[in-house]
Amino acid sequence: MDTVKGKRTSRSSLLVLTERKTREELIYKLEENCAEAVVQVIDALEEQFKEKFKDVFKSITCDNGTEFSFGDLIEKSKLNEGNRTSLYYCHPYSSFERGSNEVDNKMIRRHIPKYTCFDNKLVEDIKGIETWINNYPRKMFEYKSSLELFALEMANIP
């Protein structure tokens, strides 16, 4: 999990989650780049995936940004007792520990260059970028897309 930030004066940012096995990309616009907004997105994801959340998001690895400072709330389930996932933090200045996520952030930058203000970006635009990335054929998957592979993985979860 990472955030992609735009212009320094921009309040909003993008929260990017990359599923490790299939490289499925989930991108959400955060109206404010803060820890509360990140927790809200994770809560919404848990509501969307319901009981499959724990199988899809067994663990989440992020950097040490202040937007990820509410680790206990990210881990704690909103729907059930206990934790929904385990949260891990990378070592400082070690973005290579989230390599797949960094590669996908570069794919986002193909559509939204650095120093772009995200405040005026529509959710539809962000979801369009997410769809493009997830439908992109990848050599490592014998030119199958992340979307195809993620659908197969989801079908295998009881």
Side-chain angles (χ1 to χ4, degrees), residues 20 61 90-103:
R20 182 70 183 103
T61 304
C90 291
H91 293 93
Y93 308 103
S94 300
S95 60
F96 60 86
E97 293 179 352
R98 296 175 299 98
S100 300
N101 187 246
E102 291 295 331
V103 168

Side-chain angles (χ1 to χ4, degrees), residues 27-53:
I27 307 171
Y28 298 93
K29 181 179 177 185
L30 301 178
E31 292 301 328
E32 210 168 314
N33 189 45
C34 63
E36 293 89 354
V38 171
V39 171
Q40 287 175 355
V41 169
I42 301 300
D43 287 345
L45 272 173
E46 185 181 20
E47 289 177 18
Q48 177 187 342
F49 282 90
K50 305 268 187 244
E51 66 278 347
K52 290 185 178 186
F53 184 90

Side-chain angles (χ1 to χ4, degrees), residues 19 26 42 45-59 77 79-80 83-85 150-158:
E19 196 277 325
L26 301 172
I42 301 300
L45 272 173
E46 185 181 20
E47 289 177 18
Q48 177 187 342
F49 282 90
K50 305 268 187 244
E51 66 278 347
K52 290 185 178 186
F53 184 90
K54 282 187 174 191
D55 294 315
V56 176
F57 301 95
K58 292 178 183 175
S59 68
S77 177
L79 302 178
N80 304 311
N83 288 348
R84 58 182 160 202
T85 190
F150 188 74
L152 290 172
E153 288 296 321
M154 290 299 292
N156 290 330
I157 298 175

